[in-house]
Amino acid sequence: LAAGARGLLVAPSWSAPDHPARYEEWVTGLPVPTVLVERLGVPGGPLDEMDRVRSDHAHGVLLAVRHLFGLGHATPLLVARADSPTAQAVRAGYARALDVMGLRAPLPVLDSSSAERHPVLFEETARGLADAVRTGRATAALMHNDEDATWMVRRLAELDVRVPGDLALVTYDDEVAALADTPLTAVAPPKRAVGRRAAELLVERLTTPGAEAEPRVHLDLLPTLRVRASCGPPTSP
């Protein structure tokens, strides 16, 4: 703002569910046209009065669950981080997907983490997932995010659990999923399109006469599912 910015695209690095409510006054108080990018506020709260462009992560999770269910798997297990807005959206989307499809989770969500930053938690998660596979409680999983999933596939192999032979795996983000030793089926949020549409909306607010007085816009863009080698039907007992 001090440098003369006339408008802002804002994507706060909120890492806990209560952050939108705690910090919404700062965002809504900005003195220039602002578009919220890939973030949600509290339903009915002040952030809902802002322009917003985001990926529909709940739809992305539903695509993954339906794909695995369509291959013949029972309800897939969710392995997910909890330290980012996308992670929280994936967790919420998982609960919604199961509700839509009338399914019940085989186990509580397994907390994911970076193998390098949090090796103890990563190892606990890997062993918990391997145990779920060996005991027949899970034949499929959705994991957020790609980097963690790539490390997880390697660790599961060391624990004698094969992807996709023993476990069908879909990852969420599709940034490095195609580069894994076993290319990973992935949900791909439309990140580039979100950025482009947010920028277009802001430019319209700044350059079109009377645009600032027009109704606010909430735009949700749908992720896609990119099928690769990490998924197959469940193996026969």
Side-chain angles (χ1 to χ4, degrees):
L1 291 172
R6 295 173 51 212
L8 295 171
L9 304 176
V10 180
S13 55
W14 293 327
S15 58
D18 68 328
H19 282 179
R22 287 172 59 187
Y23 302 118
E24 63 188 1
E25 289 186 8
W26 178 85
V27 179
T28 56
L30 291 167
V32 295
T34 302
V35 178
L36 195 62
V37 183
E38 289 288 25
R39 301 292 182 263
L40 284 175
V42 177
L47 291 175
D48 268 358
E49 301 299 319
M50 296 181 62
D51 287 320
R52 180 181 78 214
V53 182
R54 63 183 291 269
S55 302
D56 188 342
H57 295 299
H59 179 78
V61 173
L62 184 59
L63 288 177
V65 173
R66 280 180 171 167
H67 177 69
L68 292 167
F69 195 73
L71 290 173
H73 295 278
T75 309
L77 178 63
L78 178 62
V79 184
R81 291 192 178 200
D83 58 356
S84 73
T86 300
Q88 294 160 29
V90 167
R91 286 172 174 253
Y94 177 71
R96 176 181 166 186
L98 298 193
D99 184 60
V100 166
M101 297 182 65
L103 302 174
R104 178 178 294 181
L107 289 169
V109 176
L110 293 179
D111 293 327
S112 176
S113 65
S114 165
E116 295 179 315
R117 293 177 57 191
H118 303 289
V120 174
L121 177 57
F122 178 85
E123 181 65 16
E124 290 176 355
T125 302
R127 291 185 177 276
L129 182 55
D131 182 66
V133 173
R134 292 193 193 100
T135 57
R137 290 175 291 171
T139 62
L142 168 65
M143 185 166 183
H144 174 270
N145 57 29
D146 294 354
E147 184 179 355
D148 293 353
T150 299
W151 284 97
M152 182 62 68
V153 170
R154 295 173 182 171
R155 182 63 185 127
L156 288 175
E158 295 171 350
L159 296 171
D160 202 28
V161 173
R162 300 164 299 148
V163 173
D166 301 313
L167 178 73
L169 184 66
V170 177
T171 186
Y172 201 98
D173 256 358
D174 201 33
E175 292 187 343
V176 297
L179 305 178
D181 296 338
T182 299
L184 302 174
T185 294
V187 176
K191 298 179 181 181
R192 183 179 296 273
V194 166
R196 182 178 66 250
R197 296 298 291 272
E200 291 171 349
L201 177 56
L202 181 59
V203 169
E204 181 181 353
R205 292 291 188 203
L206 293 171
T207 61
T208 303
E212 185 56 28
E214 291 293 315
R216 300 300 96 181
V217 173
H218 288 177
L219 184 60
D220 289 354
L221 304 185
L222 301 184
T224 57
L225 182 70
R226 295 174 179 164
V227 178
R228 300 191 180 96
S230 63
C231 290
T235 55
S236 300

